[in-house]
Amino acid sequence: MTIACLDMEGVLVPEIWIAFSEATGISELKRTTRDEPNYDTLMQYRLSILKEHKLGLNEIQATIAQIDPLPGAKEFLDKLRTSMQVIILSDTFEQFAAPLMKKLDWPTIFCNTLEVAPNGEITGYRMRCPHSKLTTVRALHSCGFDTIAAGDSFNDLAMIEASKAGFLFRAPESIIADHPELKAFTEFDDLLDAIRAAAT
């Protein structure tokens, strides 16, 4: 059996931190895993900015409530799920993801957890496991599954390269240029066709 493993932000939904950056006018929060390969470095940077501006989970969730999936994303998922099981592997947090998963008809997602104080301040975060996307793909392999992966950022490359097949989707030109061995797509129909073809 083949399982499709998909990134969330930038692939199925807009980047949450970029949306929050635009809502607050804090340009430093536009930095994402497309820009910073080290996730802990990125999160510590984000948390320091939130603390500096006295912003917390409530403010971020208010922005998330206004975010819709990317055009065509739900239809893509609906079609893909008729062909194979799908798991969204994301470095986002359950407190961010739930409203977006509702809009996508509740696909399975493996992600992380924020540590939040009673006043809403985000004090830290807990990763589900080290190198969560690669670790999950390898665990699926150990259970007898093949995986096909798609993503757009530095933190997706390991799961893409470890999978039976893997693709870039709407990735920045810098990542595409650095990985010419990976097919890159910008349209959901093309990605759907590629995943289905790789599964046969």
Side-chain angles (χ1 to χ4, degrees):
M1 180 183 287
T2 299
I3 296 180
C5 297
L6 306 176
D7 180 35
M8 184 182 83
E9 293 179 71
V11 174
L12 300 172
V13 304
E15 293 278 355
I16 291 169
W17 289 97
I18 291 177
F20 189 58
S21 169
E22 292 170 350
T24 59
I26 302 171
S27 60
E28 294 90 341
L29 288 174
K30 287 186 177 178
R31 191 167 180 80
T32 71
T33 52
R34 290 175 164 215
D35 311 299
E36 173 54 63
N38 187 303
Y39 191 72
D40 185 64
T41 298
L42 178 62
M43 278 305 301
Q44 295 303 329
Y45 171 78
R46 288 167 168 168
L47 293 180
S48 68
I49 293 171
L50 293 178
K51 188 175 183 66
E52 175 186 349
H53 291 272
K54 296 181 171 56
L55 295 169
L57 180 60
N58 294 336
E59 291 80 8
I60 298 174
Q61 286 181 328
T63 295
I64 293 171
Q66 306 303 313
I67 296 175
D68 289 320
L70 292 169
K74 183 181 181 301
E75 293 78 7
F76 161 75
L77 267 183
D78 289 345
K79 292 174 183 176
L80 182 59
R81 290 163 77 186
T82 67
S83 303
M84 65 192 71
Q85 296 297 309
V86 178
I87 300 175
I88 298 172
L89 300 182
S90 176
D91 281 336
T92 193
F93 306 96
E94 56 186 352
Q95 295 94 333
F96 290 2
L100 298 167
M101 295 303 97
K102 181 178 181 180
K103 292 179 180 181
L104 290 170
D105 278 348
W106 300 108
T108 299
I109 182 170
F110 294 174
C111 60
N112 305 307
T113 304
L114 290 169
E115 296 172 347
V116 184
N119 66 355
E121 179 186 356
I122 301 173
T123 58
Y125 66 97
R126 294 194 306 276
M127 299 296 283
R128 182 171 49 80
C129 58
H131 310 291
S132 59
K133 297 185 182 189
L134 176 60
T135 300
T136 301
V137 162
R138 286 177 171 167
L140 291 170
H141 295 168
S142 75
C143 297
F145 295 104
D146 288 328
T147 59
I148 299 172
D152 70 329
S153 298
F154 285 111
N155 64 337
D156 299 314
L157 292 172
M159 75 166 177
I160 289 172
E161 291 166 350
S163 292
K164 172 185 176 182
F167 309 104
L168 295 172
F169 187 71
R170 298 183 182 174
E173 288 300 324
S174 57
I175 292 180
I176 293 173
D178 286 345
H179 294 275
E181 76 281 5
L182 298 176
K183 291 183 180 178
F185 300 103
T186 59
E187 300 299 326
F188 282 116
D189 285 346
D190 294 335
L191 179 60
L192 179 65
D193 289 345
I195 293 174
R196 283 176 167 170
T200 58

